[in-house]
Amino acid sequence: MRHTGKLFGEALSRLLVMLALAALVLSGVSGRYVMSVRAEESETEAASVSLPGGEDIYSILLIGSDRREDNWNGNSDVMIVMTVNTNTQKIILTSYMRDLYADIPGYGVHKLNYAYAAAGADKLIETLEESYDIEIDNYAAVDFDGMADIVDLLGGVDVALNEDEVEYLNQELEVAEEQSDEEDADTIYHLTGAQAVSYMRIRYVGNADYERTQRQRNVLSEIFENAKEMSAAELTELAQEILEMTDHDISALDMISLLGSLSGLTEYELVENRIPYDGLYTTQDEMLVPDFEATIEKLHEVLYE
């Protein structure tokens, strides 16, 4: 059963990785119940990871859409599959670029981001699974509107900006002159929610969408690092505040497994990945056409080995 709450900004970023699963995972069960699950656990217990269904690998599709009206889904400008592999103790963030060639079942050939606009998360999942021979267990979707609130809820995020990025952001939002890290005072900026959303949406500075997907992963990685400093109780409390901010299909039972694994997930290695891979695609009619055989082989190595 799909649960729809207030969608929160392209930022999947905040909670997203807020603990790898916490972010997305956290939306569905009653807040009071979630708190009771964690409150019974001791802060000193050894952290463990138990994935839904007792599986070794779990994947969730994180979707950030440009939806601005309620009568359509919006294009999925952010498509990140987060894969948790308990065998390798890694969390892999794989960005799928919006302009990827995609043969969308029932709709024909389009850019990948059209799948979500045309028929929602299930169609996007079906397209990714058939195109790249992967399995996706769940999804969590957000739009731009709530992102800033989520970032502000977490107190902002520290991100390294180059001069061009600062200049671009300052056209709409003034980036604070005071940087957050004395050792890197000329590059590290503390961004508010509105600034972080603008940063993740930059497309015309640097190498277009290639760098934009990198910016999205930069924010997620920073949030993940910050999460390592939070206690289990703090993570759970944060999760409760985000419960109403995502559209997802995670069952209550699976939610319990994921929430119970948050502390263990903070110990996993975070790996960044991007499709298409450099050197394994061509450009055709403004679409990025992967060498699917080589891409699938490399992708499987990253995810499963």
Side-chain angles (χ1 to χ4, degrees):
M1 177 178 180
R2 304 294 183 187
H3 171 90
T4 303
K6 180 173 130 187
L7 296 181
F8 80 156
E10 167 175 7
L12 304 172
S13 100
R14 256 282 88 126
L15 250 273
L16 264 196
V17 168
M18 194 37 225
L19 223 296
L21 269 290
L24 338 153
V25 123
L26 41 75
S27 36
V29 204
S30 130
R32 285 175 297 179
Y33 182 72
V34 173
M35 179 58 85
S36 67
V37 171
R38 296 301 295 174
E40 294 176 2
E41 296 186 13
S42 167
E43 292 286 343
T44 60
E45 285 185 21
S48 62
V49 172
S50 176
L51 299 179
E55 299 295 330
D56 296 330
I57 297 173
Y58 173 82
S59 291
I60 183 166
L61 171 61
L62 311 177
I63 304 168
S65 77
D66 64 358
R67 171 181 169 179
R68 293 175 177 82
E69 300 177 1
D70 293 336
N71 61 351
W72 78 307
N73 295 315
N75 293 303
S76 50
D77 285 348
V78 178
M79 294 169 284
I80 299 177
V81 175
M82 182 164 61
T83 302
V84 179
N85 188 326
T86 60
N87 296 317
T88 60
Q89 295 193 355
K90 292 179 180 179
I91 296 172
I92 303 99
L93 298 177
T94 303
S95 296
Y96 290 82
M97 292 178 61
R98 52 177 286 165
D99 293 338
L100 278 165
Y101 169 101
D103 189 353
I104 303 170
Y107 292 87
V109 173
H110 295 273
K111 293 181 178 180
L112 180 61
N113 68 345
Y114 179 73
Y116 184 72
D122 287 338
K123 183 58 64 176
L124 177 55
I125 288 174
E126 181 183 5
T127 303
L128 287 170
E129 288 183 332
E130 292 191 5
S131 298
Y132 297 97
D133 191 22
I134 57 176
E135 293 185 8
I136 298 173
D137 299 286
N138 294 114
Y139 78 85
V142 301
D143 61 23
F144 297 143
D145 293 341
M147 180 54 204
D149 290 340
I150 298 297
V151 173
D152 288 333
L153 179 63
L154 295 174
V157 61
D158 293 341
V159 177
L161 305 178
N162 60 44
E163 292 182 2
D164 290 337
E165 290 169 334
V166 172
E167 181 178 357
Y168 183 91
L169 290 177
N170 279 337
Q171 293 176 13
E172 298 182 0
L173 300 166
E174 182 177 352
V175 177
E177 294 182 1
E178 293 184 5
Q179 288 82 16
S180 62
D181 191 324
E182 293 182 1
E183 294 182 1
D184 298 301
D186 59 340
T187 58
I188 306 297
Y189 290 79
H190 185 76
L191 302 184
T192 65
Q195 292 166 344
V197 171
S198 294
Y199 167 73
M200 287 184 289
R201 296 183 64 188
I202 293 175
R203 193 180 183 188
Y204 300 108
V205 171
N207 192 10
D209 205 39
Y210 298 93
E211 287 194 26
R212 180 162 74 162
T213 61
Q214 181 62 60
R215 293 184 186 99
Q216 295 160 6
R217 294 192 299 274
N218 288 345
V219 174
L220 291 180
S221 298
E222 181 63 24
I223 290 171
F224 186 78
E225 290 301 315
N226 292 341
K228 292 181 178 181
E229 305 301 320
M230 301 178 71
S231 68
E234 289 172 329
L235 286 170
T236 303
E237 182 177 357
L238 178 62
Q240 291 181 91
E241 297 187 59
I242 313 276
L243 288 178
E244 299 302 322
M245 299 182 181
T246 61
D247 170 27
H248 69 96
D249 67 345
I250 306 171
S251 71
L253 184 60
D254 288 346
M255 189 76 64
I256 293 172
S257 295
L258 292 168
L259 287 170
S261 299
L262 297 187
S263 293
L265 290 172
T266 58
E267 302 301 320
Y268 278 28
E269 177 186 357
L270 191 64
V271 178
E272 296 184 17
N273 196 31
R274 189 204 74 211
I275 305 295
Y277 291 116
D278 292 343
L280 293 182
Y281 73 94
T282 57
T283 302
Q284 174 183 318
D285 297 328
E286 298 185 349
M287 290 189 286
L288 308 175
V289 185
D291 176 335
F292 281 101
E293 182 176 355
T295 296
I296 290 171
E297 181 179 358
K298 183 172 182 177
L299 176 61
H300 285 203
E301 289 176 357
V302 174
L303 297 181
Y304 309 128
E305 298 181 8

